Amino acid sequence: MKRKFIVVIITNMLFPDQERSFKNFFIPLTTVKTIRIIFIVGFVVFSNMLFNGFVADDILYILNNPQIHQFNLITSFEENSFNGAGQYRPIAVIYFSFLYYLFGNSPFFYHLSQIVLQVICTVLLFIFLKRFLYDWLALCAVLIFLVHPMQAESVSYISQTGNLLFSSLGLFSLLSLTRRKISKKMLCISFFSLLLAMLTKETGILFVLLILIYNIIFNPKQFLRLFICSLLIFILYGLIRLGIGHIGLETRLLTPIAELSLPLRLINAPLIIFYYLNTFTFPLKLAMDQQWTISSISFSSFYLPLLIDSIFFILIAVSGLFIFYHQRKNFKMYCFFLVWFIIGLLFHLQIFPLDHTVFNTWFYLPMMGLLGLLGILSQAIIDKNPAYKIIFITLIVILITALSLRTIVRNTNWIDAITLYNHDIKITNNYEIEDSLGMEYLKSGDITTAVKHLQKSVDFRPYEYNLQHLGLAYQALKNQQKAKLYLKMALHAKDYKLFTPHKHGLNTYMSYASFMILSGESSDAAAFLQEEALHDYPDSWQLYMYLALSKYMDHDKKGAIIASEKVYKYNPTETGKSVYLYLINHDSYTSQQLSDFLYSSNLIY
């Protein structure tokens, strides 16, 4: 009922009474009407995800991230969950901090902003395409872009909103800096927008390249000025990233593809390209967290995808020749969109190892270039054979309808994390998705099922997090022996540089410390905290909390009070103060009291 109400309200806003006939929806097709159509289609297709919850990385980056819960421009540019391990995305921090300040833990408004951003990207792409295509043809192209099921991860997955943000900023700059005349004011605004795009997601650099390439082809007189400005932006970006964020170009070594050498990673390129082309054409099997790799050449994994990819690019070349001979005025634009498509692909072909082997959000930018290619080709065919126009429009309407329905179905997978992972695990299975599903079952209280999935994750690829999570699951099952085994294994797992400059994650230290305290090993816990954990995280109030508890359990009240003072020093809030007061006012704890206190203080994860 709520969804129908939202659709009715939006329809009344977008289409006044005099424009509600079917004919007046489209004829004449003005820019204002086009924007309205894009807006209503976007909200109709994605409205069923407005009531979905937080899933996957949304918990880590938003719900359980104290840095997001305070709006601070300075700390947004420093090391945090978004800025580390080769990633530097302070604008994403500011964006989520602002939404959290306004709406807290209500996912509805985060999802609403995602739909708005997707609509904005689509409108900006339309304005660019209509320079070279018929308005109706540009509309067809951007509606495919708007509703394509590959976009569901960018629009339904809150943590991927950065994809929409950097694309909006980049498209705005592309529109502004590809004009014949560019004022100084617009030049400054547009390059500032490009800087923000790069600080939102590293892929923003591609818009700088596209702007330079466009001006080389169409407006060479502007190129030198734009090139100098681009250099200045790159220098400023580097100074901010290295000088303030202290973030280099590190690689996340955990992903299987990152362990392969460059030649072995390139063996995966044909299959990666085939994945994107196949999913774009037949978006039936959609899943996140894809971590597959191939390390040797075979017919099915290398030669067959290479053959299909080659046929595709041969068809692109033949289409280019067709346009050159029959609509030469658009040949340069066809070449530009081809470059757009190719550099978007190259950036995600594992030349530099990424977090996944393939990821649907990574096709967001290449899809724009591909649709531009198809739009130029379609226009050339229709100009040569005008009778094809009705057939073409009919087929496009059917296609957009089919894509929309598939996207609506995909949105339902994101209703909650367990639903999402249970769907995606049938399509792709790996250590990451098994670990994530196991933790969701652990949080829901289904511990036996959690252990099953967490054990599979460890069997796939043992690393610090899934070993720690399996230890916590066995702890919940009261299997102390296995709990200690896996929690200790987490501290000796292979070092994938996940927590640089730290040796281990804070939660790993906390889990092992809490286990020892609850198991009556308070002396060992205190030694572990002082000699290892606090040496790695000297300013952690949580670790000092555990140290204070372990000292109390070991009858060292003086040491406990000193440690509890550090709790308040590094966490000068009501929480820190209450912890300090609680400790100094209690002389002893039973095991149950201690356990209850740890849980109530959110110190057990």
Side-chain angles (χ1 to χ4, degrees), residues 485-599:
L485 171 66
Y486 285 107
L487 289 173
K488 198 167 186 177
M489 285 175 66
L491 291 164
H492 297 90
K494 183 176 179 179
D495 185 9
Y496 289 108
K497 307 296 182 184
L498 294 174
F499 312 102
T500 305
H502 301 288
K503 184 177 180 180
H504 296 291
L506 179 60
N507 285 354
T508 306
Y509 288 122
M510 292 167 63
S511 297
Y512 191 56
S514 69
F515 172 82
M516 286 194 293
I517 294 170
L518 291 171
S519 300
E521 302 175 31
S522 53
S523 297
D524 292 339
F528 165 73
L529 287 163
Q530 289 174 310
E531 295 170 12
E532 295 186 46
L534 284 166
H535 182 74
D536 198 5
Y537 290 90
D539 300 335
S540 170
W541 71 269
Q542 295 98 325
L543 293 179
Y544 276 110
M545 176 77 256
Y546 285 121
L547 181 60
L549 289 170
S550 62
K551 292 286 187 181
Y552 255 85
M553 297 297 289
D554 206 30
H555 308 292
D556 181 2
K557 187 169 183 179
K558 182 179 179 181
I561 292 175
I562 292 172
S564 65
E565 289 172 348
K566 293 287 184 70
V567 174
Y568 185 63
K569 175 183 177 181
Y570 293 116
N571 184 26
T573 64
E574 286 301 316
T575 301
K577 185 177 180 180
S578 63
V579 166
Y580 170 71
L581 292 174
Y582 188 91
L583 283 172
I584 64 174
N585 289 323
H586 289 74
D587 292 326
S588 62
Y589 297 93
T590 65
S591 179
Q592 186 59 48
Q593 286 175 327
L594 187 59
S595 178
D596 292 342
F597 178 73
L598 289 171
Y599 277 106

Side-chain angles (χ1 to χ4, degrees), residues 429-445:
N429 197 9
N430 54 63
Y431 69 95
E432 190 168 20
I433 199 167
E434 289 283 5
D435 179 56
S436 299
L437 183 56
M439 284 304 292
E440 291 301 323
Y441 278 119
L442 182 60
K443 287 186 285 187
S444 70

